């Protein structure tokens, strides 16, 4: 059901944001996996802009830039707050 898929994607992105706010460098792999799941779920739901922001967050996480990753996740969350 599309609405359930959107809700799941929104929940995962919100969870990712929370994880980033408390992250240490040791948490990077777990956060990367969560971001990768969120990006694939956004893509599956045809939320292209959200998926693009999450892929940029993945790049930032891989580089160790968790603050930058958080900024991209905020942009991904904005997709849910805008028109659908």
């Amino acid at each position: 059901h599309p609405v359930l898929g959107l809700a799941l994607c929104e929940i995962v992105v919100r969870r990712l944001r929370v994880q980033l706010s408390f992250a240490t460098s040791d948490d990077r792999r777990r956060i990367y996996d969560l971001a990768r799941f969120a990006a694939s779920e956004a893509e599956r739901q045809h939320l292209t802009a959200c998926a693009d922001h999450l892929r940029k967050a993945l790049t930032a996480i891989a580089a160790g830039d968790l603050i930058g990753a958080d900024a991209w996740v905020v942009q991904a969350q904005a997709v849910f707050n805008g028109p659908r």
Side-chain angles (χ1 to χ4, degrees):
H1 193 275
V3 174
L4 291 177
L6 288 173
L8 173 64
C9 193
E10 187 172 9
I11 290 166
V12 171
V13 170
R14 195 175 320 140
R15 179 75 179 151
L16 177 60
R17 181 94 201 281
V18 169
Q19 292 292 315
L20 279 166
S21 66
F22 296 105
T24 67
S25 58
D26 294 338
D27 299 323
R28 198 165 61 176
R29 184 71 198 159
R30 181 176 41 81
I31 290 170
Y32 186 88
D33 290 342
L34 185 59
R36 188 175 55 191
F37 174 72
S40 72
E41 186 61 26
E43 221 165 63
R44 195 174 73 76
Q45 295 300 322
H46 307 289
L47 297 169
T48 308
C50 182
D52 289 345
H53 294 314
L54 291 168
R55 281 192 289 277
K56 290 174 183 170
L58 281 167
T59 301
I61 294 165
D65 180 11
L66 299 181
I67 293 171
D70 184 61
W72 287 116
V73 172
V74 168
Q75 292 297 314
Q77 282 184 306
V79 172
F80 294 109
N81 296 327
R84 293 190 189 187

